[in-house]
């Protein structure tokens, strides 16, 4: 399990923040919470945000609106993730909404992105595999799971150090592939 979150920048670009340990994630969560609008969730629109304990039991409901963008710019988010020794990975970079492509009009190396994530349907359609690079940055795919049944529907397999920070270098060491 890789502790992480998907956060929406001020530019409305979704960015994955991935960590080796939950402590820096919790620290980043505090920064993100402070940068979210002070508004209540609308469960009839967005659904309930159910909280679970370490045994998988429901322990509460988060009533804060979390579907809005933060006031943190993309550059600042990347800086804050790196300051906490995490990986900064723009999510679903070619999607029609909330992506580098849709919001900024380009998919590039940006302010020090560690990896770029291509949405699984495109990954399959284009027969992508590990070793693909976009603007020189290694690409991965993921499930973008918003529902429990989607967790684990896709995976990336690569032998490398268990240290998450080693992942970008391990991917860069693969032969570059097309598609």
């Amino acid at each position: 399990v890789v502790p992480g979150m998907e956060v929406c920048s001020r530019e409305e670009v979704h960015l994955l923040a991935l960590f080796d340990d939950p402590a820096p994630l919790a620290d980043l969560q505090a920064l993100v919470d402070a940068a979210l609008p002070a508004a209540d969730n609308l469960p009839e629109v967005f659904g309930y945000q159910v909280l679970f304990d370490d045994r998988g039991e429901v322990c509460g409901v988060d009533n804060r609106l979390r579907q809005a963008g933060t006031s943190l710019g993309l550059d600042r988010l990347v800086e804050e993730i790196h300051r906490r020794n995490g990986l900064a990975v723009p999510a679903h970079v070619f999607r029609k909404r909330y992506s580098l492509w849709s919001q900024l009009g380009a998919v590039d190396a940006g302010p020090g992105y560690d990896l770029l994530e291509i949405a699984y349907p495109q990954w399959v359609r284009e027969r992508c595999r590990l070793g693909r690079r976009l603007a020189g940055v290694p690409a991965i795919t993921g499930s973008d799971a918003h529902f429990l049944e989607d967790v684990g529907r896709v995976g990336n397999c690569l032998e490398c150090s268990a240290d998450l920070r080693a992942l970008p270098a391990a991917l860069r060491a693969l032969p570059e592939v097309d598609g």
Side-chain angles (χ1 to χ4, degrees), residues 60-79:
V61 175
D62 183 352
N63 291 313
R64 181 122 187 235
L65 178 65
R66 296 194 177 274
Q67 291 78 6
T70 65
S71 61
L72 301 167
L74 201 50
D75 291 357
R76 169 91 187 277
L77 277 169
V78 170
E79 176 185 307

Side-chain angles (χ1 to χ4, degrees), residues 151-175:
V151 173
R153 74 175 171 167
V154 63
N156 297 275
C157 295
L158 176 70
E159 288 194 33
C160 68
S161 164
D163 177 7
L164 185 67
R165 296 290 309 166
L167 181 59
L171 288 168
R172 282 188 179 90
L174 293 173

Side-chain angles (χ1 to χ4, degrees), residues 1-7 15-32 76-89 114-115 162-168:
V1 173
V2 176
M5 76 166 70
E6 185 172 344
V7 60
L15 184 69
L16 303 174
L18 306 175
F19 298 93
D20 277 323
D21 183 290
L25 174 62
D27 188 53
L28 182 66
Q29 183 67 60
L31 177 72
V32 167
R76 169 91 187 277
L77 277 169
V78 170
E79 176 185 307
E80 294 291 344
I81 293 165
H82 286 162
R83 191 168 71 74
R84 291 164 176 80
N85 293 317
L87 298 182
V89 183
D114 297 291
L115 305 167
D163 177 7
L164 185 67
R165 296 290 309 166
L167 181 59

Side-chain angles (χ1 to χ4, degrees), residues 1 9 25 40 43 52-53 55 66-67 72 76-78 90-92 103 118 125 137 141 146-147 149-151 164:
V1 173
S9 73
L25 174 62
D40 290 335
F52 295 88
D53 64 18
R55 296 179 318 275
R66 296 194 177 274
Q67 291 78 6
L72 301 167
R76 169 91 187 277
L77 277 169
V78 170
H92 42 73
Q103 301 308 111
I118 299 174
R125 189 173 52 252
V137 181
T141 191
H146 290 252
F147 301 96
E149 61 269 16
D150 292 337
V151 173
L164 185 67

